[in-house]
Amino acid sequence: MRKLLVPVLLLALLLAGCSFGKDEKPPQPPAPDLTSAPGAVAVNPGPFESGPVRAPARGALFGAWIKPDALTHVGRLAAVDTLQTELGRPLKIVNTYRRFEQMVGTPSDKEFLARGATLMVSWATGDNRSILDGEHDDLIRKQARAVRKIKVPILLRMRWEMDRPNLRATMWSGEDYAAAWKYVRKIFTEEGATNVSWVWCPTAEGFMRGDAPGFYPGDDQVDWTCVDVYAGEKFQPIGELMAPFLTWAAQRPKPIVIGEFGVAKAWGSSGRAAWIKDARRTFKANPQIKAIAYFESNPEGNGPTKQFQLSGDPPAFKAFEAMSTDPYFNP
């Protein structure tokens, strides 16, 4: 009997160990220390030519895009109000996205402006060659008149991330994009829409590849330079991700807006918190950066490497909240 009991006990212990291994989550790797990662410091101290939306003399304006539950007036207001309540402060930059045919000046646009926020309109213009052929002149003029009608200065990101490879079919080339930019801006000028600060905003990856500068319309055409930067597929310090762009932008007398930035859920709460802390330090180390806007959204259909919402992730959101209450981001 005793001989039989020992193997039975050993078997029970073995099965218990297997069950424990199945239920237990594998240990997570420690979050990398990003707080001491070097940041690429812009050498241009200003002054900067910024157009109608004036850059603060010191510090940076703080803002975000928050995906609403419904793309309605009520939905947009609720999304912004919820984040502002969680942060305990108003957003100074409200990013909003528009298709080519969608006009600026919606009720929510007007409400944000009435509250004192600066509207940053990310406008998805269409095929550059069809623009240059005059096929969309009526639409562009209608948008210019809509912008003029609101009378308040806005930031306009005309076809942001134009350097993305998946947009090449409609962008055609850097030369086509630059020509279309000049064409659209000329129409805005003709329509008296002079309350626009024109924001040129490629991706950090485009500067790392080296092709983004080819889309630049010229210093006489751009009021703010911009970059969208994410810790998505690769987890790198934001200073490293932005370094090629910052080096390029430092040669131009323009303020910088970080049009979108975000750190994906895939990197875990502690990793995300570390990345946000490093972003805060890097933005402050680069005085040419005058505005920032977080991408507070989990786009539908995307996996964890492209989900960036911080709300609901206490450690990451706490780091974001600390950034928002930093006096540097309340100029």
Side-chain angles (χ1 to χ4, degrees):
M1 184 70 178
R2 294 178 64 183
K3 291 181 180 180
L4 179 63
L5 183 60
V6 172
V8 169
L9 289 173
L10 288 174
L11 179 61
L13 289 171
L14 179 61
L15 289 174
C18 290
S19 175
F20 177 79
K22 184 183 292 186
D23 294 338
E24 185 75 15
K25 293 181 180 180
Q28 297 294 312
D33 181 12
L34 301 178
T35 56
S36 62
V41 179
V43 298
N44 193 334
F48 304 115
E49 304 162 6
S50 60
V53 178
R54 300 298 181 187
R58 184 182 180 279
L61 304 174
F62 182 89
W65 152 255
I66 312 99
K67 185 179 179 181
D69 292 333
L71 292 171
T72 63
H73 170 64
V74 173
R76 292 176 188 275
L77 291 180
V80 172
D81 288 346
T82 298
L83 182 62
Q84 290 183 151
T85 299
E86 291 176 344
L87 292 174
R89 60 154 294 169
L91 300 178
K92 299 307 294 181
I93 300 284
V94 174
N95 185 18
T96 183
Y97 294 90
R98 299 296 152 84
R99 296 191 301 270
F100 201 2
E101 73 278 6
Q102 290 179 316
M103 297 295 106
V104 176
T106 64
S108 56
D109 290 347
K110 294 175 181 177
E111 178 67 23
F112 295 138
L113 293 168
R115 295 177 179 184
T118 295
L119 199 65
M120 182 165 68
V121 179
S122 302
W123 187 28
T125 51
D127 184 287
N128 286 324
R129 292 189 179 178
S130 67
I131 289 174
L132 293 169
D133 286 340
E135 295 180 21
H136 307 288
D137 284 7
D138 290 345
L139 173 59
I140 297 167
R141 290 189 183 279
K142 183 180 178 182
Q143 185 70 284
R145 290 192 291 268
V147 170
R148 182 191 67 199
K149 188 175 180 180
I150 65 175
K151 299 179 181 179
V152 179
I154 68 167
L155 296 164
L156 182 62
R157 293 203 302 168
M158 176 177 156
R159 188 52 274 177
W160 73 103
E161 298 186 359
M162 75 303 293
D163 59 310
R164 287 195 337 236
N166 68 331
L167 291 178
R168 193 54 53 89
T170 53
M171 297 298 97
W172 294 91
S173 69
E175 291 80 5
D176 288 298
Y177 175 82
W181 174 291
K182 295 173 184 178
Y183 188 93
V184 171
R185 181 165 182 170
K186 182 174 182 291
I187 291 177
F188 269 60
T189 300
E190 292 171 354
E191 292 294 336
T194 56
N195 55 318
V196 174
S197 279
W198 293 82
V199 181
W200 181 73
C201 200
T203 65
E205 292 90 341
F207 273 90
M208 296 173 81
R209 289 191 309 266
D211 55 8
F215 291 84
Y216 189 61
D219 287 349
D220 62 329
Q221 293 288 318
V222 173
D223 296 312
W224 290 63
T225 59
C226 174
V227 72
D228 289 353
V229 55
Y230 290 95
E233 301 293 342
K234 296 182 179 180
F235 192 63
Q236 295 174 259
I238 195 170
E240 290 181 10
L241 294 168
M242 292 196 302
F245 164 76
L246 291 172
T247 300
W248 176 91
Q251 307 307 311
R252 283 155 182 83
K254 311 292 179 182
I256 294 169
V257 53
I258 308 301
E260 301 170 16
F261 72 104
V263 57
K265 286 186 175 181
W267 303 114
S269 294
S270 57
R272 300 177 86 199
W275 196 89
I276 291 293
K277 290 176 183 177
D278 183 56
R280 174 183 174 187
R281 184 194 64 81
T282 302
F283 295 155
K284 294 175 69 173
N286 291 272
Q288 194 172 357
I289 297 173
K290 295 299 184 181
I292 61 172
Y294 190 82
F295 189 79
E296 177 66 359
S297 178
N298 292 332
E300 294 179 7
N302 287 347
T305 61
K306 293 184 179 179
Q307 294 179 349
F308 304 103
Q309 188 178 57
L310 297 173
S311 181
D313 185 343
F317 192 85
K318 184 177 180 181
F320 185 56
E321 182 183 19
M323 179 191 293
S324 76
T325 56
D326 187 324
Y328 190 85
F329 299 102
N330 291 270

